[in-house]
Amino acid sequence: MKDDFFFTLTTFRGGASVSGGISVGHLLRPGERSGIIMFCSEKKLREVERIVKANDREYNEKFQYADNRIHTSKYNILTFLPINLFEQFQRVANAYFLCLLILQLIPEISSLTWFTTIVPLVLVITMTAVKDATDDYFRHKSDNQVNNRQSEVLINSKLQNEKWMNVKVGDIIKLENNQFVAADLLLLSSSEPHGLCYVETAELDGETNLKVRHALSVTSELGADISRLAGFDGPDTKLMQNSGKTKFKRTSIDRLMNTLVLWIFGFLICLGIILAIGNSIWESQTGDQFRTFLFWNEGEKSSVFSGFLTFWSYIIILNTVVPISLYVSVEVIRLGHSYFINWDRKMYYSRKAIPAVARTTTLNEELGQIEYIFSDKTGTLTQNIMTFKRCSINGRIYGEVHDDLDQKTEITQEKEPVDFSVKSQADREFQFFDHHLMESIKMGDPKVHEFLRLLALCHTVMSEENSAVRNPEGQIKLYSKGADTILFEKLHPSNEVLLSLTSDHLSEFAGEGLRTLAIAYRDLDDKYFKEWHKMLEDANAATEERDERIAGLYEEIERDLMLLGATAVEDKLQEGVIETVTSLSLANIKIWVLTGDKQETAINIGYACNMLTDDMNDVFVIAGNNAVEVREELRKAKQNLFGQNRNFSNGHVVCEKKQQLELDSIVEETITGDYALIINGHSLAHALESDVKNDLLELACMCKTVICCRVTPLQKAQVVELVKKYRNAVTLAIGDGANDVSMIKSAHIGVGISGQEGLQAVLASDYSFAQFRYLQRLLLVHGRWSYFRMCKFLCYFFYKNFAFTLVHFWFGFFCGFSAQTVYDQWFITLFNIVYTSLPVLAMGIFDQDVSDQNSVDCPQLYKPGQLNLLFNKRKFFICVLHGIYTSLVLFFIPYGAFYNVAGEDGQHIADYQSFAVTMATSLVIVVSVQIALDTSYWTFINHVFIWGSIAIYFSILFTMHSNGIFGIFPNQFPFVGNARHSLTQKCIWLVILLTTVASVMPVVAFRFLKVDLYPTLSDQIRRWQKAQKKARPPSSRRPRTRRSSSRRSGYAFAHQEGYGELITSGKNMRAKNPPPTSGLEKTHYNSTSWIENLCKKTTDTVSSFSQDKTVKL
């Protein structure tokens, strides 16, 4: 085919747009085969117009349009090494050690050989490079899966299979039923009548319902003769344009570590200056006596210059105070934590064989510090499976069940559903219990038939669209359905009575949490429709103001509609949503729901999820239509909130953590009681303005629950950014559709649900799983453990390095500040990468203070992470002081013991090499004992790594001090025979023992008193665990009992059978007078008071721990 087609496109900042184009998604059509033409295009920053010739690659190539290849990887084989090295040396620590390596090559200032720095530096860089290469390999693999998908492209007048990455702008493509779409497309022709096709755009906007697309009028009649055309390519597709910018996410611990490393640099410089000044003074006062001995000529070396060289020498010697292996150790620990998430069987969704996946390895500990969760509703809290429940037809509700007295009753399992088996096309799994609907159909009720005909022609219950059809009598009807707020404005005035009645029905449906659509029609005159259709064709062919003219014509025909009724469908809550929300609330995590649903449905989901309760002091609804109204409503809500709090004299006090805001100071007051805020998208747009968002944020952060309804994807991201920027709080966003991608990328942590709406949310997320309920375990177990482990690792790591390094500082005062090292150079090289690396990694990967079940049962354990209690600047200084004390003990006890002492054989043992071996051995034993004291959860690996590291130390020590290796490398191993000579002396072992006891006993005494006098909740639960373990052997857990009920909840969001009565009863779900529970025993869900038991269980556990010293529950 050689027909020429020209197309003009207008591109927008948010992504390219083609009128009538097919969105990226899943193409569906009732027909078996369909021929379509699609159009690929590319968006550039300043591009406002594009001309493309169909099926002419040579012509289109001169515009240099982008190809259709997707790139998410960072490297290739040629660029990996230079780019990765450049990225790694952007880290301050790596660049610092590279400079140290250069300094060590200068003989005048280096008392250490170059391998002491290059060995750990190369090891760190290599391990990081391997990790980066592995991550990028999987990105390449993912890209190739998409790029190598096949599509049929018209090339040389023949349809040929072509890979997606080779599709070009202007290509003609053929798509068949249920095929994925390769790019953004413009429909030219379809095998369906009137040039129609039906598209599912779940991966773009999260909607699973089908959308209708019309072919261009000038090409629609060609049908299969055209065969097909191609559209928006690669990074310019709507999908890629709406994904938002990928941001580099770093944890708060990462930022704190960078600050601390800079402080350590400063501390190192101060130590170097002190020792350099000492060297200058010593050289000027005492050094003259050694010039002859050292073969120095008079005046050859001044004291100032000597001090200058000494400064750099000590910078090299003391460099280990800056931990080069810190970053790689952190990455290894995070990798281990990520695998634990991937391997967690309790987060595996067996129905669809979907495991939890940690898609990043850099954010695990931040999961233990979440303060705000921003959640989508449809598909995230709910199942996103729409079930037809009720309808209102001509003022009558169908779907309810009544008794003999015509009173509405609950639908029970004994109730017989309507038999649809007479229709072979009926869905076998669909159940409908109101027999009146079938009776009306059999009686030939014209309104019921019209209603069902409209639904049948529009294909899905949830679609919002219009259809013009001609019935067998030749009459043209316009069928329309959509949101009641829009459709009711287009009704004929004669519908006033029916409108009022249907509005009441819609409110009733929404109050039950059902999603609703209004249904209407209009009879069209044949002459009028022909004229209107001709004007529509002219508008479609117009080159100027095309969209405005088309919109005006649709507005003209969509008026004077006659109301038929409304539909109501149910989207049930996912299993475990209520328990998860309740547990996270007890962990002091605030959950904000950001949904596009109408306000009534949003409020209902709040009550269904236990986010809203009848016992709340107030629920503030913000619905202003302009900035002034919104500001006034926010002001009144704050006055109401503060006024009510002044009147309360008792109750549970919730005090917000005070934080400095970048806006005007927002003073957080003590709030008594629970409040909720509900705001719609229109009001939110005004509230997010610079002069109003201060009030919005202050009010929202004082409320227990915030629900934003009718919000756009952009507004979701703006709300997240608002809290991130001005609250200085760690945020998490969770969603399942592409319309949640911007929100997921904006939050500190993004979680994607593998649900009904494609994989775009998952691909953009940091963590993914199949069900919302797994969020509880992700945060309260994996997140809390990761934070706990990382904090213990950092505390120990800094302590260890300061204890190891500062011995050189004290030794400087006794060696004339000559930059002589205390230890053997090989010990300095191997201390961090061999002798002490594995034990601290084992603790950082496997340690846990309480079990996973207790972490879930006591959500209050999560709060230390929110308050940064386990590792902060204060904790860092404590670790530094601990390391300084240990270094003093390590140096001065052996120094005092060696002063003028003789060995058992009468020989003098106070030599430098024996002193170095004694201190090195003491150091290895002290830090090993210290990490044993720090370990809360012992595994076989911990035992092997801790005690094995000590064994490895002695093995390497005796090997390097042996005659054999000295004979091979005499210059590198000068401590020949010293280990055997020193460690056979009993007095040496007594010195080591005394040093170890003096180092660890103060720590043991302090921790014993602290746990006994001021135990934390974690200490109390650990004590209880030990008591339970000693009291009786582990018993098998009783099987969970489920309440058997013959009553089925008709509540829209009931997540399973049996809870509808509890939710709709109006009773508060918070504990009032719950029965006593026993410790941390798992609550059995055999009554409607399980939420009360959960809340009470936690408070009883805390009080029992604090009151009962024996921890007998």
Side-chain angles (χ1 to χ4, degrees), residues 1042-1060:
R1042 295 186 179 271
R1043 184 181 70 167
S1044 60
S1045 172
S1046 61
R1047 305 183 65 187
R1048 176 178 174 83
S1049 169
Y1051 196 75
F1053 294 99
H1055 73 294
Q1056 65 182 41
E1057 179 181 355
Y1059 294 109

Short mmCIF file of all heavy atoms in Angstrom, two decimals, residues 1042-1060:
data_model
loop_
_atom_site.label_atom_id
_atom_site.label_comp_id
_atom_site.label_asym_id
_atom_site.label_seq_id
_atom_site.Cartn_x
_atom_site.Cartn_y
_atom_site.Cartn_z
N ARG A 1042 -13.03 -19.91 63.19
CA ARG A 1042 -13.78 -18.87 62.50
C ARG A 1042 -15.25 -18.94 62.92
O ARG A 1042 -15.80 -20.00 63.11
CB ARG A 1042 -13.68 -19.03 60.97
CG ARG A 1042 -12.29 -18.82 60.44
CD ARG A 1042 -12.31 -18.86 58.93
NE ARG A 1042 -10.98 -18.66 58.40
CZ ARG A 1042 -10.48 -17.47 58.13
NH1 ARG A 1042 -11.19 -16.39 58.35
NH2 ARG A 1042 -9.27 -17.35 57.62
N ARG A 1043 -15.83 -17.80 63.07
CA ARG A 1043 -17.22 -17.74 63.45
C ARG A 1043 -18.08 -18.24 62.31
O ARG A 1043 -17.99 -17.77 61.19
CB ARG A 1043 -17.62 -16.31 63.80
CG ARG A 1043 -19.06 -16.23 64.29
CD ARG A 1043 -19.42 -14.81 64.58
NE ARG A 1043 -19.52 -14.03 63.36
CZ ARG A 1043 -20.06 -12.82 63.29
NH1 ARG A 1043 -20.52 -12.26 64.39
NH2 ARG A 1043 -20.12 -12.16 62.16
N SER A 1044 -18.88 -19.22 62.60
CA SER A 1044 -19.82 -19.70 61.59
C SER A 1044 -21.12 -18.94 61.74
O SER A 1044 -21.71 -18.89 62.81
CB SER A 1044 -20.06 -21.21 61.78
OG SER A 1044 -20.58 -21.46 63.05
N SER A 1045 -21.52 -18.32 60.71
CA SER A 1045 -22.73 -17.50 60.76
C SER A 1045 -23.57 -17.79 59.55
O SER A 1045 -23.07 -18.01 58.45
CB SER A 1045 -22.35 -16.01 60.81
OG SER A 1045 -23.51 -15.21 60.69
N SER A 1046 -24.86 -17.78 59.78
CA SER A 1046 -25.78 -17.98 58.67
C SER A 1046 -26.18 -16.67 58.05
O SER A 1046 -26.97 -16.64 57.13
CB SER A 1046 -27.02 -18.73 59.17
OG SER A 1046 -27.67 -17.94 60.16
N ARG A 1047 -25.62 -15.56 58.58
CA ARG A 1047 -25.99 -14.26 58.07
C ARG A 1047 -24.88 -13.72 57.19
O ARG A 1047 -23.72 -13.72 57.58
CB ARG A 1047 -26.26 -13.28 59.22
CG ARG A 1047 -27.30 -13.81 60.20
CD ARG A 1047 -27.57 -12.77 61.27
NE ARG A 1047 -28.17 -11.59 60.69
CZ ARG A 1047 -28.37 -10.48 61.40
NH1 ARG A 1047 -28.03 -10.42 62.67
NH2 ARG A 1047 -28.93 -9.43 60.83
N ARG A 1048 -25.25 -13.26 56.05
CA ARG A 1048 -24.27 -12.68 55.12
C ARG A 1048 -24.39 -11.18 55.14
O ARG A 1048 -25.47 -10.64 54.98
CB ARG A 1048 -24.52 -13.22 53.70
CG ARG A 1048 -23.59 -12.57 52.68
CD ARG A 1048 -23.80 -13.14 51.31
NE ARG A 1048 -23.01 -12.43 50.36
CZ ARG A 1048 -21.72 -12.66 50.11
NH1 ARG A 1048 -21.11 -13.60 50.78
NH2 ARG A 1048 -21.07 -11.96 49.20
N SER A 1049 -23.26 -10.51 55.32
CA SER A 1049 -23.29 -9.06 55.37
C SER A 1049 -23.60 -8.49 53.99
O SER A 1049 -23.02 -8.89 53.00
CB SER A 1049 -21.94 -8.53 55.86
OG SER A 1049 -21.88 -7.15 55.67
N GLY A 1050 -24.50 -7.53 53.97
CA GLY A 1050 -24.77 -6.82 52.72
C GLY A 1050 -23.95 -5.57 52.62
O GLY A 1050 -24.13 -4.78 51.72
N TYR A 1051 -23.03 -5.37 53.57
CA TYR A 1051 -22.23 -4.14 53.60
C TYR A 1051 -21.23 -4.15 52.47
O TYR A 1051 -20.62 -5.18 52.18
CB TYR A 1051 -21.51 -4.04 54.95
CG TYR A 1051 -20.99 -2.68 55.22
CD1 TYR A 1051 -21.84 -1.65 55.59
CD2 TYR A 1051 -19.64 -2.40 55.08
CE1 TYR A 1051 -21.36 -0.40 55.83
CE2 TYR A 1051 -19.16 -1.14 55.31
CZ TYR A 1051 -20.02 -0.14 55.70
OH TYR A 1051 -19.55 1.11 55.94
N ALA A 1052 -21.06 -3.01 51.86
CA ALA A 1052 -20.30 -2.96 50.61
C ALA A 1052 -18.88 -3.42 50.77
O ALA A 1052 -18.34 -4.08 49.92
CB ALA A 1052 -20.32 -1.54 50.07
N PHE A 1053 -18.23 -3.04 51.88
CA PHE A 1053 -16.81 -3.31 51.99
C PHE A 1053 -16.53 -4.40 53.01
O PHE A 1053 -15.44 -4.46 53.54
CB PHE A 1053 -16.05 -2.03 52.37
CG PHE A 1053 -16.10 -1.00 51.29
CD1 PHE A 1053 -17.00 0.05 51.35
CD2 PHE A 1053 -15.27 -1.10 50.20
CE1 PHE A 1053 -17.05 0.98 50.35
CE2 PHE A 1053 -15.32 -0.17 49.19
CZ PHE A 1053 -16.21 0.87 49.25
N ALA A 1054 -17.52 -5.20 53.36
CA ALA A 1054 -17.27 -6.31 54.27
C ALA A 1054 -16.24 -7.22 53.65
O ALA A 1054 -16.44 -7.73 52.56
CB ALA A 1054 -18.56 -7.06 54.54
N HIS A 1055 -15.13 -7.44 54.36
CA HIS A 1055 -14.05 -8.18 53.72
C HIS A 1055 -14.28 -9.67 53.75
O HIS A 1055 -13.63 -10.41 53.04
CB HIS A 1055 -12.72 -7.85 54.40
CG HIS A 1055 -12.57 -8.47 55.75
ND1 HIS A 1055 -13.36 -8.10 56.81
CD2 HIS A 1055 -11.73 -9.43 56.20
CE1 HIS A 1055 -12.99 -8.79 57.88
NE2 HIS A 1055 -12.02 -9.60 57.54
N GLN A 1056 -15.17 -10.14 54.59
CA GLN A 1056 -15.54 -11.53 54.55
C GLN A 1056 -16.86 -11.68 55.27
O GLN A 1056 -17.38 -10.77 55.88
CB GLN A 1056 -14.47 -12.41 55.22
CG GLN A 1056 -14.32 -12.15 56.72
CD GLN A 1056 -13.22 -13.03 57.29
OE1 GLN A 1056 -12.19 -13.20 56.67
NE2 GLN A 1056 -13.46 -13.58 58.45
N GLU A 1057 -17.42 -12.87 55.19
CA GLU A 1057 -18.74 -13.10 55.74
C GLU A 1057 -18.73 -12.92 57.24
O GLU A 1057 -17.83 -13.38 57.93
CB GLU A 1057 -19.17 -14.52 55.39
CG GLU A 1057 -20.53 -14.88 55.93
CD GLU A 1057 -20.86 -16.30 55.56
OE1 GLU A 1057 -20.08 -16.92 54.83
OE2 GLU A 1057 -21.91 -16.77 56.00
N GLY A 1058 -19.74 -12.24 57.78
CA GLY A 1058 -19.92 -12.23 59.22
C GLY A 1058 -19.60 -10.94 59.91
O GLY A 1058 -19.84 -10.82 61.11
N TYR A 1059 -19.03 -9.92 59.23
CA TYR A 1059 -18.65 -8.69 59.90
C TYR A 1059 -19.56 -7.52 59.55
O TYR A 1059 -19.37 -6.43 60.03
CB TYR A 1059 -17.20 -8.31 59.57
CG TYR A 1059 -16.21 -9.28 60.14
CD1 TYR A 1059 -15.52 -10.14 59.28
CD2 TYR A 1059 -16.00 -9.37 61.49
CE1 TYR A 1059 -14.62 -11.06 59.79
CE2 TYR A 1059 -15.10 -10.29 62.00
CZ TYR A 1059 -14.42 -11.12 61.16
OH TYR A 1059 -13.53 -12.01 61.67
N GLY A 1060 -20.51 -7.76 58.67
CA GLY A 1060 -21.38 -6.66 58.25
C GLY A 1060 -22.17 -6.08 59.40
O GLY A 1060 -22.32 -4.87 59.54
#
